[in-house]
Coordinates of all heavy atoms in Angstrom, one line a residue:
Q130 N -8.1 -10.7 13.0 CA -7.8 -9.9 14.2 C -6.9 -10.7 15.1 O -5.9 -10.1 15.7 CB -9.1 -9.4 14.9 CG -8.9 -8.7 16.2 CD -8.8 -7.2 16.0 OE1 -9.6 -6.6 15.4 NE2 -7.7 -6.6 16.6
Q131 N -7.3 -11.9 15.4 CA -6.5 -12.7 16.4 C -5.1 -13.1 15.9 O -4.2 -13.0 16.6 CB -7.3 -14.0 16.7 CG -6.7 -14.9 17.7 CD -7.5 -16.2 18.0 OE1 -8.6 -16.3 17.5 NE2 -6.9 -17.0 18.8
W132 N -5.0 -13.4 14.6 CA -3.7 -13.9 14.1 C -2.8 -12.8 13.7 O -1.6 -13.0 13.7 CB -4.0 -14.8 12.9 CG -4.6 -16.1 13.2 CD1 -5.1 -16.5 14.4 CD2 -4.6 -17.3 12.4 NE1 -5.6 -17.8 14.4 CE2 -5.3 -18.3 13.2 CE3 -4.3 -17.6 11.1 CZ2 -5.6 -19.6 12.6 CZ3 -4.5 -18.8 10.6 CH2 -5.1 -19.8 11.3
T133 N -3.3 -11.6 13.3 CA -2.4 -10.5 12.8 C -2.5 -9.3 13.6 O -1.6 -8.4 13.5 CB -2.8 -10.2 11.3 OG1 -4.1 -9.5 11.3 CG2 -2.8 -11.4 10.4
G134 N -3.6 -9.1 14.4 CA -3.8 -7.9 15.2 C -4.4 -6.8 14.4 O -4.6 -5.7 14.9
I135 N -4.7 -7.0 13.1 CA -5.3 -6.0 12.3 C -6.8 -6.1 12.3 O -7.4 -7.1 11.9 CB -4.8 -6.1 10.8 CG1 -3.3 -5.9 10.8 CG2 -5.4 -5.0 10.0 CD1 -2.7 -4.6 11.3
P136 N -7.6 -5.0 12.6 CA -9.0 -5.1 12.5 C -9.5 -4.9 11.1 O -8.9 -4.1 10.3 CB -9.5 -3.9 13.4 CG -8.3 -2.9 13.3 CD -7.1 -3.8 13.2
V137 N -10.5 -5.7 10.7 CA -11.0 -5.6 9.3 C -12.5 -5.5 9.3 O -13.2 -5.8 10.3 CB -10.6 -6.9 8.5 CG1 -9.1 -7.0 8.4 CG2 -11.2 -8.1 9.1
S138 N -13.0 -5.1 8.1 CA -14.4 -5.0 7.9 C -14.7 -5.9 6.6 O -13.9 -5.9 5.7 CB -14.9 -3.6 7.6 OG -14.7 -2.8 8.8
L139 N -15.9 -6.5 6.6 CA -16.2 -7.4 5.5 C -17.6 -7.0 4.9 O -18.6 -6.8 5.7 CB -16.2 -8.9 5.9 CG -14.9 -9.5 6.0 CD1 -14.4 -9.6 7.4 CD2 -14.9 -10.9 5.3
G140 N -17.7 -7.0 3.6 CA -18.9 -6.8 2.9 C -19.1 -8.0 2.0 O -18.2 -8.3 1.2
V141 N -20.3 -8.7 2.1 CA -20.5 -9.9 1.2 C -21.7 -9.6 0.3 O -22.8 -9.1 0.8 CB -20.8 -11.1 2.1 CG1 -21.1 -12.4 1.3 CG2 -19.6 -11.4 3.1
A142 N -21.6 -9.9 -1.0 CA -22.7 -9.6 -1.9 C -22.5 -10.4 -3.2 O -21.4 -11.0 -3.4 CB -22.7 -8.1 -2.2
P143 N -23.5 -10.4 -4.1 CA -23.4 -11.2 -5.3 C -22.4 -10.7 -6.4 O -22.0 -11.4 -7.3 CB -24.8 -11.2 -5.9 CG -25.7 -10.8 -4.7 CD -24.8 -9.9 -3.9
T144 N -22.0 -9.4 -6.3 CA -21.1 -8.8 -7.2 C -20.0 -8.0 -6.5 O -20.2 -7.7 -5.3 CB -21.8 -7.8 -8.2 OG1 -22.2 -6.6 -7.5 CG2 -23.0 -8.5 -8.8
K145 N -19.0 -7.7 -7.2 CA -17.9 -7.0 -6.5 C -18.3 -5.5 -6.2 O -17.9 -5.0 -5.1 CB -16.6 -6.9 -7.5 CG -16.0 -8.3 -7.6 CD -14.9 -8.3 -8.7 CE -13.7 -7.7 -8.2 NZ -12.6 -7.9 -9.2
A146 N -19.1 -4.9 -7.1 CA -19.5 -3.5 -6.8 C -20.5 -3.5 -5.6 O -20.4 -2.6 -4.7 CB -20.2 -2.9 -8.0
L147 N -21.3 -4.5 -5.4 CA -22.2 -4.5 -4.3 C -21.4 -4.9 -3.0 O -21.8 -4.5 -1.9 CB -23.3 -5.6 -4.5 CG -24.5 -5.1 -5.5 CD1 -25.4 -6.3 -5.7 CD2 -25.2 -4.0 -4.9
A148 N -20.4 -5.7 -3.2 CA -19.5 -6.0 -2.0 C -18.9 -4.8 -1.5 O -18.7 -4.6 -0.3 CB -18.5 -7.1 -2.4
K149 N -18.5 -3.9 -2.4 CA -17.9 -2.6 -2.0 C -18.9 -1.8 -1.2 O -18.6 -1.2 -0.2 CB -17.5 -1.8 -3.3 CG -16.1 -2.2 -3.8 CD -15.0 -1.4 -3.0 CE -13.7 -1.4 -3.6 NZ -12.7 -0.6 -2.9
V150 N -20.1 -1.8 -1.7 CA -21.2 -1.0 -1.0 C -21.4 -1.6 0.4 O -21.5 -0.9 1.4 CB -22.5 -1.1 -1.8 CG1 -23.7 -0.6 -1.0 CG2 -22.4 -0.3 -3.1
A151 N -21.5 -2.9 0.5 CA -21.7 -3.6 1.7 C -20.5 -3.3 2.7 O -20.7 -3.1 3.9 CB -21.8 -5.1 1.5
N152 N -19.3 -3.3 2.2 CA -18.1 -3.1 3.0 C -18.1 -1.7 3.6 O -17.8 -1.4 4.8 CB -16.9 -3.3 2.2 CG -15.6 -3.2 3.1 OD1 -15.1 -2.1 3.3 ND2 -15.1 -4.3 3.6
K153 N -18.5 -0.7 2.7 CA -18.5 0.7 3.2 C -19.5 0.9 4.3 O -19.3 1.6 5.3 CB -18.8 1.6 2.0 CG -18.4 3.1 2.2 CD -18.4 3.9 1.0 CE -17.8 5.2 1.2 NZ -16.3 5.2 1.3
L154 N -20.7 0.3 4.1 CA -21.8 0.4 5.1 C -21.4 -0.3 6.4 O -21.7 0.1 7.5 CB -23.1 -0.1 4.5 CG -23.7 0.8 3.4 CD1 -24.9 0.1 2.9 CD2 -24.0 2.2 3.9
A155 N -20.7 -1.4 6.2 CA -20.3 -2.2 7.4 C -19.3 -1.4 8.3 O -19.4 -1.5 9.5 CB -19.6 -3.5 7.0
K156 N -18.5 -0.6 7.7 CA -17.6 0.3 8.4 C -18.3 1.4 9.2 O -18.0 1.8 10.3 CB -16.6 0.9 7.5 CG -15.4 0.0 7.2 CD -14.3 0.8 6.4 CE -13.1 0.0 6.3 NZ -12.0 0.7 5.6
K157 N -19.3 2.0 8.5 CA -20.0 3.1 9.0 C -21.1 2.8 10.1 O -21.3 3.5 11.0 CB -20.7 3.9 7.9 CG -19.8 4.6 7.0 CD -20.6 5.4 5.9 CE -19.7 6.2 5.0 NZ -20.4 7.0 4.0
S158 N -21.7 1.6 9.9 CA -22.9 1.2 10.7 C -22.4 0.7 12.1 O -21.7 -0.3 12.2 CB -23.7 0.2 10.0 OG -24.7 -0.3 10.9
S159 N -22.9 1.3 13.2 CA -22.6 0.8 14.5 C -23.4 -0.5 14.7 O -23.0 -1.4 15.5 CB -23.1 1.8 15.6 OG -24.5 2.1 15.4
K160 N -24.5 -0.7 14.0 CA -25.3 -2.0 14.1 C -24.5 -3.1 13.5 O -24.5 -4.3 14.0 CB -26.6 -1.8 13.5 CG -27.5 -3.0 13.6 CD -28.9 -2.7 13.0 CE -29.8 -3.9 13.1 NZ -31.2 -3.7 12.5
A161 N -23.9 -2.9 12.3 CA -23.2 -3.9 11.6 C -22.0 -4.4 12.3 O -21.6 -5.6 12.2 CB -22.9 -3.5 10.2
K162 N -21.3 -3.4 12.9 CA -20.0 -3.7 13.6 C -18.9 -4.4 12.8 O -18.2 -5.2 13.2 CB -20.3 -4.6 14.9 CG -21.2 -4.0 15.9 CD -21.4 -4.9 17.1 CE -22.3 -4.2 18.1 NZ -22.6 -5.1 19.3
G163 N -18.9 -4.0 11.5 CA -17.8 -4.4 10.6 C -18.2 -5.6 9.7 O -17.3 -6.0 8.9
V164 N -19.4 -6.1 9.8 CA -19.8 -7.2 8.9 C -21.2 -7.0 8.3 O -22.1 -6.7 9.1 CB -19.7 -8.6 9.6 CG1 -20.3 -9.7 8.7 CG2 -18.3 -8.9 10.0
L165 N -21.3 -7.0 7.0 CA -22.6 -6.8 6.4 C -22.7 -7.8 5.2 O -21.9 -7.8 4.3 CB -22.8 -5.4 5.9 CG -24.2 -5.1 5.3 CD1 -25.3 -5.3 6.3 CD2 -24.2 -3.6 4.8
V166 N -23.8 -8.6 5.2 CA -24.1 -9.5 4.1 C -25.3 -9.0 3.3 O -26.4 -8.8 3.9 CB -24.4 -11.0 4.7 CG1 -24.7 -11.9 3.5 CG2 -23.1 -11.5 5.4
L167 N -25.1 -8.8 2.0 CA -26.2 -8.4 1.2 C -26.5 -9.4 0.1 O -25.9 -9.5 -0.9 CB -25.8 -7.1 0.5 CG -25.6 -5.8 1.3 CD1 -25.2 -4.6 0.4 CD2 -26.9 -5.5 2.1
T168 N -27.5 -10.3 0.4 CA -28.0 -11.3 -0.5 C -29.5 -11.1 -0.7 O -30.0 -11.6 -1.8 CB -27.7 -12.7 0.0 OG1 -28.2 -12.9 1.3 CG2 -26.2 -12.9 -0.1
D169 N -30.2 -10.6 0.2 CA -31.7 -10.4 0.1 C -32.0 -9.1 -0.7 O -31.4 -8.1 -0.5 CB -32.3 -10.2 1.5 CG -33.8 -10.1 1.5 OD1 -34.5 -11.1 1.4 OD2 -34.2 -8.9 1.5
P170 N -32.8 -9.2 -1.7 CA -33.1 -8.0 -2.6 C -33.6 -6.8 -1.8 O -33.2 -5.7 -2.2 CB -34.3 -8.6 -3.5 CG -34.1 -10.0 -3.5 CD -33.5 -10.4 -2.2
Y171 N -34.4 -7.0 -0.7 CA -34.8 -5.9 0.1 C -33.6 -5.2 0.7 O -33.5 -3.9 0.7 CB -35.8 -6.4 1.1 CG -36.2 -5.3 2.1 CD1 -37.2 -4.3 1.7 CD2 -35.7 -5.2 3.3 CE1 -37.6 -3.3 2.6 CE2 -36.1 -4.2 4.2 CZ -37.0 -3.3 3.8 OH -37.4 -2.3 4.7
H172 N -32.7 -6.0 1.3 CA -31.6 -5.4 2.0 C -30.6 -4.7 1.0 O -30.0 -3.7 1.3 CB -30.8 -6.5 2.7 CG -31.6 -7.0 3.9 ND1 -31.4 -8.3 4.4 CD2 -32.5 -6.4 4.7 CE1 -32.2 -8.5 5.4 NE2 -32.9 -7.4 5.6
I173 N -30.5 -5.3 -0.2 CA -29.7 -4.7 -1.3 C -30.2 -3.3 -1.6 O -29.5 -2.3 -1.8 CB -29.6 -5.6 -2.5 CG1 -28.8 -6.8 -2.2 CG2 -29.0 -4.8 -3.7 CD1 -28.7 -7.9 -3.3
R174 N -31.6 -3.2 -1.8 CA -32.2 -2.0 -2.2 C -31.9 -0.9 -1.1 O -31.6 0.2 -1.4 CB -33.7 -2.1 -2.4 CG -34.4 -0.8 -2.6 CD -35.8 -0.9 -3.1 NE -36.4 0.4 -3.2 CZ -37.6 0.6 -3.8 NH1 -38.3 -0.4 -4.4 NH2 -38.1 1.8 -3.8
K175 N -32.1 -1.3 0.2 CA -31.9 -0.3 1.3 C -30.5 0.1 1.3 O -30.2 1.3 1.6 CB -32.3 -1.0 2.6 CG -33.8 -1.2 2.8 CD -34.5 0.2 2.8 CE -36.0 0.1 3.0 NZ -36.7 1.4 3.0

Side-chain angles (χ1 to χ4, degrees):
Q130 173 91 53
Q131 182 179 354
W132 289 14
T133 70
I135 301 296
V137 298
S138 298
L139 281 102
V141 181
T144 71
K145 291 171 78 173
L147 284 174
K149 274 277 191 178
V150 170
N152 183 277
K153 198 171 191 69
L154 292 175
K156 279 188 171 184
K157 290 182 177 180
S158 171
S159 57
K160 182 179 179 181
K162 296 181 180 179
V164 173
L165 182 61
V166 177
L167 293 180
T168 53
D169 181 83
Y171 174 79
H172 292 150
I173 292 176
R174 173 171 176 168
K175 287 299 182 182

